[in-house]
Amino acid sequence: MRRPIIIGNWKMNKGINETRELLTEIKKMDWDRRVEVVVCPPYTSLVEASDILISTEIALGSQNMHWKDKGAYTGEISPLMLKEIGCKYVIIGHSERRQYFGETDETVNLKVKSALNNELIPIVCVGEDVEQRKRGGTDFVVSEQVRNGLKGLTPEQIKNIIIAYEPIWAIGTGISSKGEDANAVAKLIRDVLKDTFNDEVSEQIRIQYGGSVNLGNIKEYMDQAEIDGALVGGASLKAEDFVKLINYDK
Ligand code: PGA
């Protein structure tokens, strides 16, 4: 059985004060402990978040990292720094990073390897854009992203990673994918994992859906056989909404 996992990707929102407010509120609320919960605040709020989340069951993640441990990379943050703060997870290759900051499957691969070497669990994001979708290229695009992003890794190394399927046209648009369509892509990802690695990895890895997840559609995704969680942007920024998402099954 794969444990459901809901991750809040705050993107470039919530400074230290707002982070304190939001997490203090979430901490007070009652959520379903069967679900694993992760929040990914911006870099400058990570230390504050880490202090607040200590001895809670909410894990901390970063939204990005560089693949090198240290050095002359102005403006970058290394996996060692994230570990030191207490991060357990790191989002890698979010489509906004691919779109606006030139990230490619190659940099994703470097980052995934580095995260794993530093005992951080990567949340690897894949997904097609609207043009690729229209011309029927979803399966090809997503398969390539998975294969290239995980190139050179062993089944043992990747068995605990998370893959987030996030169709780009669904992110922040309010136009979410149909549950069954997202499930079909999650199934495709499992087939690629099976081909590239083995059955065990394909069965064990948790696959999330992301893209305009909200209180009205969360259950539609969580009910799908191949989908184990959600990567949530906008709806993770309010304590009540986020906790209701976590409690989708209550
Ligand atoms: P959204 O973002 O829920 O606001 O669509 C999801 C994401 O980008 O991870």
Side-chain angles (χ1 to χ4, degrees):
M1 265 298 273
R2 298 183 293 258
R3 187 179 178 202
I5 178 163
I6 306 245
I7 302 178
N9 171 16
W10 295 3
K11 309 194 180 184
M12 198 169 71
N13 296 293
K14 309 283 178 196
I16 294 182
N17 290 331
E18 288 173 316
T19 294
R20 191 183 313 117
E21 276 166 29
L22 178 54
L23 291 178
T24 308
E25 233 184 300
I26 292 174
K27 255 172 70 169
K28 280 194 232 140
M29 300 170 99
D30 185 29
W31 76 88
D32 188 342
R33 302 298 158 126
R34 286 171 298 179
V35 178
E36 186 175 356
V37 180
V38 184
V39 291
C40 302
Y43 287 137
T44 53
S45 295
L46 284 173
V47 174
E48 183 71 16
S50 179
D51 281 351
I52 297 172
L53 296 180
I54 228 158
S55 74
T56 71
E57 287 173 57
I58 302 172
L60 189 62
S62 169
Q63 298 172 20
N64 180 34
M65 60 171 228
H66 196 274
W67 59 86
K68 296 275 192 179
D69 288 350
K70 61 179 180 183
Y73 300 97
T74 302
E76 292 293 326
I77 300 284
S78 93
L80 295 181
M81 297 168 184
L82 298 179
K83 279 297 285 182
E84 192 180 10
I85 289 174
C87 285
K88 181 172 177 193
Y89 289 93
V90 56
I91 299 174
I92 305 280
H94 189 280
S95 64
E96 286 152 14
R97 300 236 31 109
R98 294 179 191 251
Q99 210 175 338
Y100 306 132
F101 303 100
E103 296 210 10
T104 62
D105 286 351
E106 286 66 42
T107 59
V108 168
N109 186 240
L110 288 167
K111 291 182 180 194
V112 170
K113 284 180 178 157
S114 167
L116 291 168
N117 283 336
N118 286 289
E119 292 168 346
L120 288 161
I121 302 174
I123 302 151
V124 185
C125 299
V126 296
E128 80 286 2
D129 67 23
V130 72
E131 292 308 320
Q132 292 162 335
R133 174 114 197 153
K134 273 192 202 148
R135 57 162 201 267
T138 301
D139 288 8
F140 177 77
V141 170
V142 171
S143 309
E144 282 296 287
Q145 288 174 336
V146 172
R147 272 192 216 102
N148 293 333
L150 303 182
K151 206 177 253 170
L153 291 158
T154 65
E156 187 54 31
Q157 280 176 302
I158 66 153
K159 66 180 188 206
N160 293 320
I161 70 166
I162 312 280
I163 296 181
Y165 166 57
E166 298 205 301
I168 296 171
W169 47 270
I171 296 178
T173 58
I175 308 166
S176 53
S177 170
K178 279 197 199 127
E180 60 195 47
D181 291 348
N183 192 58
V185 179
K187 169 81 173 63
L188 167 91
I189 294 172
R190 291 203 191 281
D191 290 344
V192 173
L193 293 171
K194 193 167 156 177
D195 271 7
T196 320
F197 298 95
N198 59 35
D199 285 9
E200 204 190 327
V201 159
S202 158
E203 280 301 309
Q204 186 176 335
I205 285 186
R206 289 181 290 177
I207 300 177
Q208 297 183 304
Y209 168 77
S212 296
V213 172
N214 59 38
L215 297 179
N217 61 24
I218 179 86
K219 194 135 170 48
E220 181 181 348
Y221 301 113
M222 299 309 285
D223 281 348
Q224 303 294 329
E226 310 299 343
I227 296 178
D228 311 304
L231 181 55
V232 186
S236 72
L237 297 173
K238 283 201 186 123
E240 205 184 325
D241 289 357
F242 188 54
V243 171
K244 278 188 185 155
L245 287 176
I246 300 163
N247 290 339
Y248 68 90
D249 202 28
K250 265 190 156 181

